Amino acid sequence: MNRDEPTLERGRELGRIEAALDSALAGEGRVVVIEGRAGIGKTRLVQETRALAKDRGFGRLQAVGDALEGAMAWGVVRQMVERSVSRYSGEIREKILAGPSGDALRALDAAAADPSEAELGRTLHALWWVAVDLSSTRPLLITVDDAQWADHSSLQFLVYLSRRIADLPIVLVVATRPPAENAGPLAHLSVSRQAERVLPKPLSLEALAELVAARGVVPAWAVVTSLHAASGGNPFLARVLVDELDALGLPLDTDTSAGQVGKLGPSTVFRAALGRMPAEAVGLAGAVAILGTGGDPWQAGALAKLDAAGLSVAVEALTSANVLTGDGDHLVFVHPVVREAVLADLGPIARAGLHGAAAKALRAAKAPADRVAAHLAQAPRGTLPDAAEILRKAAAALLAAGDPRTAAAHLRRAVDETPDDAALRAELGRALLRTGEAAEARQQLLVAADGVPDAELVAAAASATAVVDGPEAAVAELVEAIAARPGGPRDPGRMHLEARLAVIRSFLPHHRGVASDHLRAYASLSGGTPDERTLLGLLAQMGRYEVRPADEVAATACRALSHGAYFEDATGSIDVMVGWVVAMLALISADGVDEARREIESARRRVRAHGSPVEFAMVANAALFLDWRLGNVSVMEAEAEGALAAIGAEEPLPQVVALRATSTHFLAYAAMERGDLEAAAEVLARFDSDHGDGPSMMPTMWLHEPRALIALAIGNPVLARTQAFLQRDEMLAAGVDPPTIPWRVPAVRAAMLLGESDHALELAEEQVSIARKWGTTTEIGAALRLLAHADGDRRLDLLAESVGVLERSPARLHLARSLIDLGEAMRVARRRTDARTPLNRGIELATECGSVVLRTRAVEALEALGDRPRRMVFAGPSSLTASERRVADLAASGRANREIAQELFVTPKTVENHLGRIYTKLGIAGRRELARVLS
């Protein structure tokens, strides 16, 4: 492709690209996917984009997908970062590496060392911050050409960036052939609502005539027509056909040449590009095609068996013919179609031989394992004596990068090299589990377990069995394996199998009784190992659901958490982290708030230092429950908004949906406490719109309660009762009825409004009974308050008892409710003097907690007594929303916008927007005055 040739019939496409660039200049990022078949002109559009961006002052990163590098973790990301570094040396290079580019390389190196499932999320987030930093001083253009050959991990990053690009001055332009299947990151990027697709059309007859005329000859119209029919208007193929006509000595300006166009065969591309070149040039082209974009000229020359003189001649011939172009220290094909033609001409045996030779040369040069492995995967077996170890090392990096499919392919090949290596088969089995190929995974894991009697392999095989034959079969398999296991009941291998059995049973409601008895046998564990902590965490969860004594559950949860050890276990797997969250909920439900607070702060430090948005939201979910328990309504609201913002662009996996449900639940609570029923209904409706057709799970069950409370607030007790009973039925179907999120509260209030006082009393007494069984002062005090509403004859005594119990509880909002209810009941009973004390105390607590509704009710009760309490004035700091106050406090403490954004897992622009609103509300000019105003 000659850059001097005109860009024809691409004005519409370039106009859309210019609009994207202008949008980024205004601070709103855009994604453009240029999609079309080979030769249609995608690369030309990418080049034009880069030129337009340069004229506008953009920073520019670029990469080109490569079939060989598609098997290397983070190949495209490394390519664009290393290109930005490689042109510099000395002090300038060191300065660049000390900034975002160095951060990117360090993030990739750290990921390669930790092939855990959770590491991918952290790496993607770290790379996103690199993009944020690179675009902080000037807008940034990122282009990826031939993305159909990009590695899986880099494509995942492009999707991750595309979902978070709106707040950044970045344009991401991805040129690709149409995705081969409607799955995978490239397909997601092409069809996502964040991306605008540009589909270059074939050239018209007139444009094709202009393209040919640019060579200095006005073509005959019959030749143009034949060229158009043969090429389909594809610019690259048309150029190749013209080159071939020229090589055959057929004039373009004569009608008689038109008949020859249709006779050019399928090998035209290779023949036109290389068919008349010396053998040395053809051999070098083959070597460059085999090595891919990462190979340098000397490596290619050695592979083609050329000496320095021969290499120089071959390079000159290929660059003069516009087949190759120099790219720094590399040779690359001007067009990928030519490279494909070269590879096709080599044939499979020659290609395999060259890949083998490349693997040997790269191994001798101590090249990275992933580059050697990419060639080994296509080379003859036995190419290198340590092939299996190289493939294994490359597979580990691919797993860390979230590409289990390529990792499994490498490991299959490694097993072919050393079929008796049981540990290698085990790694293959684990990789296959992550690809979803459970049947083959089970086979490999069981074979490995025969060679290496490892309980972890048996447990992993059972996980595969659960997918293939169902969880019942997996349970039977594990029970049999445990029975056959030598050693005592505390044998480490046996404990691992017991932990996996407990995890699988926890998802089977009809196994709940057996699972409960099974877990109780481990109640005395110390929590000294990950398996012990898993068993204890599940036991604590079971204790909460089965309403065992709260102090027993709290002690079990504390041993499971083991002063942060359980969280450390969880950092390798989101699924394990779910176990940490449920152990935390059990602890908080048991009023173990001091231990929970310490655990959450420790987890926050870990996530802030090296965490992903999902991990941030999981810790936030535990904090939400604690804040609700303590009555910190304003903090809870900010926490819920922050969690939803952090995972707003995440894939709706079950864990993510559960996190959104929990955050939505508490955000609705907070809105109701502020008296904003419309906002509460809106957050619930937003969740239903996004996930209403999803499967039922514990966090989605709890959402019926705020729906019922809203129905009560708007005077619809029938709807409130319906929602409460929906929660009851779903909970009973799951075999749980914990008192901590009670469906009976709205059900009792609805029954009272509907005149069903006997039913209301029955339900309230049930709640008291369950609360006493659980044994926390929080639940007992709240249940007594509920019973007071249903039992008018004993209302004053029950409310006084509720206050007395809640005085020993950490739940200040519950205490405020009981105090205010008691004060109102005393006022109605004409004990006006007695009523003032609980009402005034209730006002203080409601104000501290941030419950506007509760405070307003207490103020109105005092006014009915003739008092004139001070009303809240929403001005100054009090006018800030919970999220604004959180940002304002962080800014006042001296943190920069970037630091605040990192701590809250949002974009710097989000922080900037918050601060703009904060300054306006507070009537100040900027950050310097924040501390004074907030104090």
Side-chain angles (χ1 to χ4, degrees):
M1 177 171 53
N2 189 341
R3 284 289 293 126
D4 294 330
E5 289 181 353
T7 301
L8 302 169
E9 294 187 331
R10 296 292 182 254
R12 181 171 174 272
E13 290 85 348
L14 289 172
R16 291 166 70 183
I17 289 168
E18 285 189 90
L21 293 170
D22 292 341
S23 175
L25 279 170
E28 184 178 341
R30 299 277 290 276
V31 179
V32 178
V33 177
I34 305 171
E35 187 179 305
R37 59 196 179 98
I40 201 66
K42 301 185 296 295
T43 298
R44 172 55 68 87
L45 283 172
V46 170
Q47 291 173 340
E48 295 287 353
T49 300
R50 290 182 59 77
L52 290 167
K54 182 179 180 181
D55 291 342
R56 287 166 167 77
F58 275 67
R60 298 176 306 286
L61 293 177
Q62 64 174 316
V64 179
D66 179 88
L68 184 74
E69 288 197 351
M72 301 180 200
W74 305 111
V76 159
V77 172
R78 281 191 183 277
Q79 188 187 136
M80 65 175 70
V81 175
E82 288 168 357
R83 279 188 178 190
S84 69
V85 176
S86 62
R87 71 189 75 171
Y88 301 103
S89 61
E91 190 176 324
I92 296 177
R93 181 186 180 91
E94 291 302 317
K95 185 176 180 181
I96 293 172
L97 287 173
S101 296
D103 290 341
L105 296 176
R106 284 186 287 276
L108 299 182
D109 291 340
D114 181 5
S116 65
E117 297 170 43
E119 185 61 29
L120 176 63
R122 301 183 195 123
T123 306
L124 291 173
H125 194 65
L127 291 174
W128 176 80
W129 266 109
V130 171
V132 172
D133 290 341
L134 286 170
S135 64
S136 63
T137 55
R138 58 175 175 163
L140 178 67
L141 170 69
I142 300 174
T143 59
V144 180
D145 200 2
D146 290 324
Q148 70 275 0
W149 289 318
D151 59 281
H152 184 80
S153 44
S154 293
L155 287 175
Q156 285 180 298
F157 170 65
L158 298 183
V159 173
Y160 190 90
L161 174 61
S162 75
R163 290 175 176 154
R164 295 158 177 81
I165 207 169
D167 281 352
L168 301 173
I170 296 177
V171 177
L172 171 63
V173 175
V174 178
T176 178
R177 296 178 190 177
E181 53 188 36
N182 294 323
L186 187 57
H188 293 159
L189 182 66
S190 298
V191 301
S192 73
R193 47 187 184 179
Q194 289 84 5
E196 179 181 13
R197 292 170 74 208
V198 171
L199 307 173
K201 294 181 179 179
L203 296 180
S204 65
L205 283 163
E206 291 75 14
L208 188 57
E210 188 177 346
L211 183 71
V212 177
R215 299 191 173 208
V217 178
V218 177
W221 192 250
V223 171
V224 172
T225 304
S226 295
L227 286 170
H228 195 274
S231 67
N234 184 295
F236 176 80
L237 294 178
R239 291 188 192 95
V240 169
L241 292 170
V242 170
D243 287 342
E244 185 70 353
L245 289 174
D246 188 53
L248 293 172
L250 297 171
L252 298 173
D253 55 357
T254 304
D255 286 350
T256 55
S257 298
Q260 298 298 315
V261 174
K263 297 177 182 179
L264 301 177
S267 62
T268 299
V269 173
F270 179 80
R271 191 167 61 247
L274 296 162
R276 296 165 185 83
M277 286 196 172
E280 292 83 357
V282 175
L284 180 62
V288 173
I290 288 292
L291 287 172
T293 56
D296 65 34
W298 297 105
Q299 287 176 327
L303 196 60
K305 299 180 180 176
L306 298 175
D307 58 20
L311 175 62
S312 179
V313 171
V315 168
E316 177 62 28
L318 290 168
T319 54
S320 296
N322 210 33
V323 173
L324 298 179
T325 183
D327 179 29
D329 295 329
H330 304 95
L331 289 173
V332 296
F333 282 89
V334 169
H335 202 286
V337 174
V338 177
R339 182 189 176 202
E340 292 175 76
V342 170
L343 289 171
D345 186 72
L346 282 171
I349 294 176
R351 284 199 301 272
L354 283 171
H355 278 298
K360 290 177 181 177
L362 289 167
R363 184 74 178 95
K366 295 183 169 40
D370 58 352
R371 183 162 292 281
V372 180
H375 289 287
L376 280 175
Q378 302 179 63
R381 189 185 305 173
T383 295
L384 288 172
D386 57 346
E389 187 55 36
I390 293 170
L391 290 161
R392 169 189 267 151
K393 187 174 181 180
L398 286 161
L399 285 171
D403 187 3
R405 195 164 300 281
T406 308
H410 276 5
L411 289 168
R412 278 196 190 97
R413 177 57 190 274
V415 168
D416 287 344
E417 296 277 350
T418 55
D420 297 330
D421 188 335
L424 195 58
R425 285 188 182 275
E427 290 182 42
L428 172 58
R430 292 190 182 99
L432 290 167
L433 271 179
R434 287 173 63 173
T435 68
E437 298 168 85
E440 187 185 351
R442 178 173 63 179
Q443 178 186 355
Q444 296 289 352
L445 288 164
L446 290 174
V447 170
D450 285 341
V452 180
D454 187 338
E456 286 193 17
L457 299 181
V458 176
S463 295
T465 297
V467 176
V468 177
D469 298 327
E472 297 281 2
V475 167
E477 188 175 304
L478 284 165
V479 168
E480 182 180 349
I482 290 167
R485 185 85 188 174
R490 296 296 187 264
D491 166 70
R494 183 188 183 100
M495 292 294 293
H496 188 72
L497 295 175
E498 294 279 17
R500 185 58 55 93
L501 175 61
V503 168
I504 293 176
R505 274 179 170 160
S506 70
F507 292 99
L508 301 172
H510 56 288
H511 274 249
R512 190 169 297 282
V514 175
S516 178
D517 292 340
H518 170 225
L519 285 168
R520 284 191 189 210
Y522 295 102
S524 62
L525 292 175
S526 66
T529 69
D531 292 320
E532 288 190 5
R533 292 189 281 272
T534 296
L535 287 163
L536 289 168
L538 289 168
L539 179 60
Q541 178 190 35
M542 190 74 74
R544 178 190 175 208
Y545 288 159
E546 293 183 350
V547 198
R548 294 190 199 140
D551 54 354
E552 172 190 313
V553 171
T556 302
C558 283
R559 290 201 305 278
L561 294 165
S562 294
H563 305 291
Y566 198 179
F567 190 81
E568 291 294 322
D569 299 341
T571 55
S573 167
I574 296 300
D575 288 337
V576 178
M577 199 162 177
V578 171
W580 176 83
V581 172
V582 297
M584 287 293 296
L585 298 187
L587 177 62
I588 296 165
S589 297
D591 279 350
V593 297
D594 292 333
E595 298 90 339
R597 189 184 288 110
R598 287 191 291 268
E599 187 76 25
I600 287 168
E601 285 310 308
S602 173
R604 279 196 203 280
R605 287 193 294 272
R606 173 67 186 258
V607 169
R608 285 169 186 159
H610 184 50
S612 68
V614 171
E615 291 170 305
F616 171 83
M618 283 190 161
V619 176
N621 266 212
L624 278 169
F625 196 70
L626 178 61
D627 286 328
W628 176 242
R629 192 76 172 174
L630 297 173
N632 297 328
V633 175
S634 299
V635 177
M636 180 185 72
E637 183 173 20
E639 196 85 62
E641 288 177 347
L644 288 171
I647 58 172
E650 294 292 325
E651 281 284 325
L653 301 173
Q655 301 97 324
V656 172
V657 175
L659 292 171
R660 288 175 181 161
T662 303
S663 298
T664 296
H665 186 181
F666 289 111
L667 194 57
Y669 274 167
M672 284 187 279
E673 292 299 326
R674 285 191 287 102
D676 194 342
L677 296 177
E678 186 176 338
E682 186 180 315
V683 298
L684 290 164
R686 193 182 312 134
F687 179 86
D688 291 340
S689 174
D690 293 338
H691 308 295
D693 56 353
S696 177
M697 57 183 82
M698 291 296 179
T700 61
M701 291 180 195
W702 308 147
L703 291 175
H704 291 299
E705 188 198 9
R707 292 190 188 106
L709 294 173
I710 292 171
L712 286 170
I714 62 175
N716 190 341
V718 174
L719 177 59
R721 181 175 60 184
T722 299
Q723 288 292 338
F725 286 175
L726 279 172
Q727 180 172 324
R728 175 199 64 186
D729 295 343
E730 289 183 24
M731 288 169 60
L732 292 178
V736 302
D737 191 10
T740 45
I741 307 180
W743 59 269
R744 290 178 183 83
V745 170
V748 166
R749 292 173 58 188
M752 294 289 291
L753 290 170
L754 292 169
E756 301 170 359
S757 55
D758 289 345
H759 188 214
L761 184 59
E762 178 187 349
L763 291 175
E765 287 174 339
E766 283 180 10
Q767 186 66 25
V768 172
S769 176
I770 294 172
R772 291 194 187 281
K773 182 181 178 184
W774 179 239
T776 63
T777 52
T778 299
E779 259 60 58
I780 293 170
L784 288 169
R785 184 175 69 251
L786 181 67
L787 181 58
H789 283 283
D791 190 344
D793 294 337
R794 295 192 295 155
R795 179 165 300 157
L796 275 171
D797 290 341
L798 287 168
L799 286 171
E801 185 181 358
S802 172
V803 168
V805 171
L806 288 169
E807 290 283 9
R808 305 191 305 273
S809 161
R812 295 173 304 148
L813 190 58
H814 276 304
L815 175 58
R817 288 197 181 103
S818 290
L819 283 165
I820 292 167
D821 283 357
L822 177 60
E824 288 182 324
M826 287 176 168
R827 180 181 63 81
V828 171
R830 300 185 182 280
R831 293 172 53 182
R832 301 170 66 87
T833 302
D834 294 339
R836 288 184 169 87
T837 299
L839 286 173
N840 278 304
R841 178 120 187 274
I843 287 174
E844 291 175 9
L845 285 173
T847 304
E848 288 177 16
C849 292
S851 176
V852 177
V853 168
L854 196 56
R855 187 186 191 283
T856 300
R857 184 155 66 86
V859 166
E860 290 172 352
L862 275 176
E863 288 176 341
L865 293 172
D867 291 7
R868 291 288 180 266
R870 183 173 60 85
R871 288 192 172 272
M872 292 178 70
V873 178
F874 290 98
S878 299
S879 67
L880 302 178
T881 67
S883 293
E884 288 168 352
R885 180 61 194 243
R886 173 185 256 186
V887 171
D889 286 338
L890 290 171
S893 71
R895 287 179 174 85
N897 287 9
R898 185 187 189 280
E899 293 175 302
I900 298 171
Q902 281 193 307
E903 183 164 334
L904 301 181
F905 281 75
V906 295
T907 66
K909 186 174 181 180
T910 298
V911 175
E912 183 182 323
N913 291 340
H914 269 311
L915 287 172
R917 290 192 295 272
I918 290 164
Y919 299 153
T920 299
K921 287 183 177 182
L922 299 182
I924 60 177
R927 181 184 295 259
R928 290 182 179 179
E929 299 175 68
L930 261 179
R932 174 183 57 79
V933 174
L934 293 178
S935 64

